[in-house]
């Protein structure tokens, strides 16, 4: 489990949270699996306290569920919850896109283009991890430039719920999103066309919500 490696003893709570979250999203800790603070603390090279704090945060964010004095386990992937999360995350991305487009600099657009090249290459290679990282990098440019901390926090909180289903769909032979929508988004941003950029952003996140639709 590559995500569950010993971490430096700085920001221990946050690092424990990120490592466990990433292992859940990657499916290294599967839905329904019981997690134990002592076991994960040992594997991460930490004391139990930061792992317990990470558990509490992951319960609050819907990736873990806990019954006091009984168990803490990974939640199942529930389609309705993914659709709700995608609606919220999509709305936040539309908000930050509207704020960011007038503020984008050439360097920001270059970062988006480089991220999309990596995204397209990862999709072609069937590298789901690489595709999702590049996708995050591209959209994070807009989140950063917008400077809306509340929107950024909401995106960070609910995106992992969506990523779990994306990974499952791709593992079942589903197709990853085309880099074409990203190309259109970057073109609109470069042209300073805020309304077009917002419409394309809505299309991108609507496609994610549709992953949760019944077959």
């Amino acid at each position: 489990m590559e995500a569950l490696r010993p971490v430096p003893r700085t920001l221990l709570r946050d690092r424990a949270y990120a490592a466990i979250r990433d292992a859940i999203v990657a499916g290294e800790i599967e839905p329904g699996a019981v997690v134990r603070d002592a076991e994960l603390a040992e594997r991460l090279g930490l004391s139990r306290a930061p792992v317990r704090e990470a558990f509490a945060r992951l319960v609050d964010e819907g990736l873990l569920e806990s019954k006091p004095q009984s168990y803490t386990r990974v939640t199942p992937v529930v389609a309705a919850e993914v659709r709700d999360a995608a609606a919220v995350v999509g709305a936040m991305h539309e908000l930050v896109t509207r704020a960011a487009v007038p503020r984008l600099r050439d360097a920001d657009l270059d970062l988006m283009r480089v991220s999309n090249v990596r995204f397209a290459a990862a999709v072609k290679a069937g590298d789901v991890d690489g595709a999702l990282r590049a996708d995050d990098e591209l959209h994070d440019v807009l989140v950063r430039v917008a400077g809306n901390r509340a929107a950024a926090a909401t995106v960070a909180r609910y995106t992992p719920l969506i990523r779990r289903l994306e990974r499952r769909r791709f593992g079942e032979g589903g197709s990853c999103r085309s880099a074409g929508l990203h190309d259109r988004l970057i073109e609109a941003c470069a042209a300073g066309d805020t309304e077009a950029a917002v419409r394309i952003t809505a299309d991108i996140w609507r496609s994610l919500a549709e992953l949760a639709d019944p077959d």
Side-chain angles (χ1 to χ4, degrees):
M1 295 187 180
E2 295 184 358
L4 293 175
R5 295 173 293 179
V7 297
R9 301 195 68 82
T10 57
L11 302 175
L12 297 183
R13 175 187 59 194
D14 292 339
R15 290 178 179 271
Y17 161 80
I20 298 167
R21 177 203 62 199
D22 290 349
I24 293 171
V25 171
E28 294 176 10
I29 308 177
E30 297 182 349
V34 173
V35 292
R36 297 177 176 84
D37 56 6
E39 177 184 336
L40 291 184
E42 181 178 359
R43 289 167 64 181
L44 292 168
L46 299 173
S47 68
R48 294 169 69 175
V51 173
R52 287 173 177 168
E53 293 180 43
F55 279 8
R57 184 173 172 185
L58 290 162
V59 168
D60 185 55
E61 295 181 359
L63 290 175
L64 292 178
E65 57 187 4
S66 182
K67 182 177 180 181
Q69 309 301 319
S70 182
Y71 61 78
T72 299
R73 65 189 178 195
V74 179
T75 57
V77 178
V78 179
E81 293 177 0
V82 174
R83 285 194 296 270
D84 289 346
V88 170
V89 171
M92 292 301 99
H93 276 288
E94 290 178 48
L95 186 155
V96 299
T97 298
R98 187 176 298 280
V101 169
R103 306 177 188 175
L104 288 168
R105 300 171 298 177
D106 288 344
D108 299 317
L109 294 166
D110 287 344
L111 283 175
M112 293 175 72
R113 293 186 182 104
V114 168
S115 296
N116 200 32
V117 169
R118 286 202 291 266
F119 177 82
V123 171
K124 184 176 181 179
D127 178 4
V128 176
D129 288 334
L132 295 181
R133 280 196 303 270
D135 184 67
D136 284 338
E137 290 168 2
L138 188 156
H139 291 285
D140 283 349
V141 172
L142 296 169
V143 174
R144 172 179 54 79
V145 172
N148 186 320
R149 293 178 64 183
T154 302
V155 167
R157 173 171 179 161
Y158 290 106
T159 296
L161 293 172
I162 305 166
R163 293 306 195 208
R164 283 207 296 169
L165 183 61
E166 283 189 277
R167 285 175 172 278
R168 173 178 291 186
R169 288 289 188 256
F170 300 155
E172 293 170 350
S175 61
C176 192
R177 283 164 287 144
S178 167
L181 276 175
H182 287 160
D183 285 332
R184 289 172 50 205
L185 174 61
I186 295 167
E187 289 171 5
C189 290
D193 190 340
T194 300
E195 295 306 319
V198 171
R199 286 196 301 272
I200 296 162
T201 297
D203 289 342
I204 289 170
W205 293 95
R206 187 178 302 113
S207 71
L208 287 179
E210 290 171 355
L211 283 174
D213 290 340
D215 295 331

